[in-house]
Amino acid sequence: MQASALGDADVQTVRYWLYAPGRGACMWEEFYERGVMGLGWHQLGDLSEYATKEDMRQRLLDTRDDNTSQTNSARAVWQFANEIKPGDVIFVKRGLKEILGRGVVTGDYVYDPEGGEYPHLRNVSWKRRGSWRSDQQFPMKTLTEITDYPDLLARIDAFFDDGEDEESVDNEETLPVFPEYSSEQFLDEVFMDEERYDATVGVLRAKKNIILQGAPGVGKTFAAKRLAYSMMGVKDASRVMLVQFHQSYSYEDFIEGYRPSGQGFELVKGAFYSFCKKAADDEDNEYFFIIDEINRGNLSKIFGELFMLIESDKRGPKNKLQLLYSREFFYVPRNVYIIGMMNTADRSLAMLDYALRRRFAFVELSPAFDSEGFRAYRAGLVNPRFEALVREVESLNRVIAKDESLGEGFCIGHSYFCNMDADTCTDAALASIVEYELIPMLKEYWFDEPGKVREWSDRLRRSLR
């Protein structure tokens, strides 16, 4: 499977943004009626003409005289033009403590030279509007991503759980249209054969929960997102959520818990709870909850009473359990699928809890150097040094697989060598992979065998000469 950054436009999971429509939200009514969100900084012209964020900042320094670094302004316009994607959720704010509405982005960046003070536009399907007061302050910036701040996101999202005093918006004709994504497209992008793909889809539909496990660089995240999209048939980012477990991740982050507020403590809903509620309101569509580094968290603590509810035969409203804090009766919808990812080379981690292990099916992802897709990609580069390096890595993997202290779970994945073309597959790029990614890994693998590290470091370097 190929590797992919989390920020790739076509695999981007839904992101959340706080947005101020003009000073004091002065443009909110107009933008709401037009179904758009707009940004100022008109002196920049067409934002798509800037290659980097720094170019934008320098232009702002040249055209504005307010004695600031323009860093925040440049970040806002760059994110507006390049990072916000269709499917992202926009929360509209006024001042530091008031939320005015919520919408879903439906279009790419558009520059309107006749747009006056607000020429930078994106189409938005506004879902709700009203007025909700927060007891805690929001960031002052015009545009702020809050995806990685689950507590703040949960507090804002909670305003929309109750339909009272809200104006619902009829968006039947303005729902976003997402690009199709088929199993054929999956097989074109992911180095997996059709039989293995069909088996993986079959076990996920039956079990509801799978873990993609494998060595570093086999493309687990890349495969997980595309697996979800191929099963949905569309690249609908709003139905895919990605979280990453770590040692401090808890039940309170995942399901619900009390958090400090201006008046003491308040009950805040977690990521999985909110995702399940969203899926329960849309039973006709499939939803995918992806957990990166699933074995890094204390799984018994994180899942709590959901040990039982995530089982495939315990799904649905007939199998409710009472939650720990709210005492609410909760169930996991049948249309929710859980995809976990686990790095088999991380030996600092304990084995998965056996009670949880039996609730997941495990799909092993291996280096795909010998797959038809990678061979075609490799041939298309027409680069002798790339060929030599890959052959050396294949030899190295055979040694790693036979090593009693390592094994197949420590083999080097193909994704280290993906996403290149004839222009980017340079000697410098290949040397960088060897020096800064592969050799440091070998030093960790064979920390007590420096001779073996030296041998393979020399062999990898020689393959590029």
Side-chain angles (χ1 to χ4, degrees):
M1 277 138 275
Q2 293 171 306
S4 173
L6 293 183
D8 283 359
D10 63 335
V11 295
Q12 177 72 44
T13 52
V14 66
R15 297 167 73 176
Y16 299 85
W17 305 83
L18 262 178
Y19 159 69
R23 187 178 297 275
C26 63
M27 299 299 294
W28 170 228
E29 291 299 327
E30 178 181 335
F31 288 165
Y32 167 78
E33 293 296 335
R34 292 170 58 189
V36 300
M37 62 185 297
L39 215 60
W41 292 285
H42 59 91
Q43 61 269 48
L44 286 171
D46 189 347
L47 301 181
S48 62
E49 294 181 355
Y50 292 85
T52 67
K53 189 190 310 178
E54 180 60 20
D55 291 342
M56 291 180 172
R57 192 180 77 87
Q58 290 298 328
R59 176 62 178 166
L60 288 170
L61 286 172
D62 293 340
T63 57
R64 294 169 69 96
D65 186 22
D66 53 10
N67 297 318
T68 66
S69 68
Q70 302 299 328
T71 300
N72 287 337
S73 297
R75 181 184 296 114
V77 289
W78 177 265
Q79 290 178 323
F80 188 86
N82 298 285
E83 295 184 15
I84 293 178
K85 303 297 179 186
D88 284 3
V89 175
I90 306 297
F91 294 108
V92 179
K93 67 169 184 171
R94 175 163 57 198
L96 298 178
K97 290 191 174 184
E98 185 180 10
I99 293 294
L100 298 178
R102 177 177 64 178
V104 176
V105 178
T106 61
D108 293 326
Y109 165 71
V110 174
Y111 174 62
D112 178 12
E114 305 299 324
E117 291 291 313
Y118 297 90
H120 311 299
L121 302 173
R122 279 181 176 273
N123 288 333
V124 177
S125 175
W126 296 115
K127 304 295 185 181
R128 297 279 181 83
R129 69 171 176 176
S131 177
W132 298 269
R133 297 289 298 181
S134 170
D135 58 357
Q136 294 186 354
Q137 288 191 359
F138 303 135
M140 293 180 62
K141 294 182 293 184
T142 300
L143 185 68
T144 306
E145 184 181 2
I146 59 173
T147 309
D148 296 329
Y149 298 89
D151 292 347
L152 174 60
L153 178 57
R155 285 199 303 272
I156 296 174
D157 207 33
F159 293 144
F160 301 93
D161 290 341
D162 186 350
E164 294 182 4
D165 299 321
E166 295 178 6
E167 179 177 341
S168 296
V169 183
D170 183 4
N171 291 292
E172 186 174 347
E173 298 182 0
T174 61
L175 291 175
V177 177
F178 298 101
E180 294 183 358
Y181 192 85
S182 64
S183 58
E184 289 78 15
Q185 287 171 284
F186 176 93
L187 294 171
D188 285 342
E189 294 187 328
V190 179
F191 299 147
M192 179 186 289
D193 60 54
E194 186 174 1
E195 182 179 354
R196 186 67 183 277
Y197 168 76
D198 290 339
T200 302
V201 170
V203 74
L204 180 53
R205 290 202 186 280
K207 192 76 171 180
K208 299 291 186 182
N209 317 306
I210 66 169
I211 289 178
L212 303 179
Q213 62 178 5
V218 294
K220 296 181 285 293
T221 303
F222 186 92
K225 291 181 177 180
R226 281 159 176 74
L227 179 62
Y229 290 137
S230 69
M231 291 176 65
M232 293 190 298
V234 293
K235 293 178 181 177
D236 183 353
S238 66
R239 290 193 273 140
V240 179
M241 185 171 189
L242 172 69
V243 300
Q244 185 179 67
F245 281 1
H246 49 78
Q247 293 176 350
S248 298
Y249 203 88
S250 67
Y251 176 93
E252 288 74 16
D253 300 309
F254 197 60
I255 308 298
E256 63 176 8
Y258 284 98
R259 300 294 187 191
S261 70
Q263 299 176 344
F265 290 86
E266 63 178 336
L267 186 62
V268 175
K269 301 302 184 181
F272 189 67
Y273 174 97
S274 300
F275 190 78
C276 286
K277 288 295 185 180
K278 182 178 180 180
D281 292 336
D282 187 20
E283 294 181 348
D284 293 334
N285 288 308
E286 296 173 315
Y287 283 70
F288 292 81
F289 194 86
I290 301 176
I291 305 172
D292 192 21
E293 304 283 6
I294 190 170
N295 54 331
R296 282 191 171 274
N298 184 333
L299 298 176
S300 298
K301 177 182 176 183
I302 292 170
F303 277 87
E305 61 270 22
L306 297 195
F307 261 139
M308 185 179 80
L309 294 186
I310 65 171
E311 293 185 54
S312 58
D313 60 345
K314 301 294 193 301
R315 299 293 187 91
K318 292 183 180 179
N319 297 282
K320 293 183 178 180
L321 283 179
Q322 199 169 33
L323 296 179
L324 179 63
Y325 293 109
S326 65
R327 314 307 294 170
E328 172 189 349
F329 284 94
F330 176 80
Y331 69 93
V332 177
R334 295 186 180 90
N335 59 330
V336 169
Y337 297 87
I338 302 174
I339 303 176
M341 292 172 285
M342 186 168 69
N343 186 349
T344 52
D346 195 335
R347 50 188 161 191
S348 66
L349 305 173
M351 294 291 289
L352 283 177
D353 186 295
Y354 284 110
L356 189 68
R357 178 174 281 276
R358 75 176 184 83
R359 288 164 169 81
F360 281 80
F362 288 76
V363 176
E364 187 78 30
L365 301 184
S366 303
F369 293 112
D370 61 347
S371 69
E372 181 178 344
F374 190 86
R375 286 199 299 269
Y377 161 74
R378 181 174 169 176
L381 292 176
V382 194
N383 187 313
R385 286 189 173 85
F386 182 90
E387 290 279 349
L389 177 58
V390 169
R391 286 195 298 269
E392 204 63 71
V393 170
E394 290 178 298
S395 299
L396 173 59
N397 277 346
R398 288 191 286 271
V399 173
I400 291 173
K402 294 177 181 178
D403 192 305
E404 293 183 356
S405 64
L406 298 175
E408 292 183 355
F410 290 77
C411 288
I412 294 170
H414 55 276
S415 69
Y416 289 102
F417 308 96
C418 292
N419 298 326
M420 291 184 176
D421 56 31
D423 294 328
T424 59
C425 188
T426 62
D427 292 352
L430 296 175
S432 178
I433 293 171
V434 170
E435 294 297 333
Y436 303 114
E437 298 187 68
L438 302 187
I439 292 178
M441 190 183 304
L442 296 182
K443 289 179 178 178
E444 180 180 343
Y445 283 1
W446 289 314
F447 63 92
D448 55 348
E449 297 183 74
K452 190 172 286 188
V453 174
R454 284 194 299 272
E455 175 193 349
W456 281 101
S457 296
D458 290 342
R459 290 183 61 167
L460 292 172
R461 290 169 177 143
R462 281 199 302 271
S463 69
L464 299 178
R465 294 172 187 165

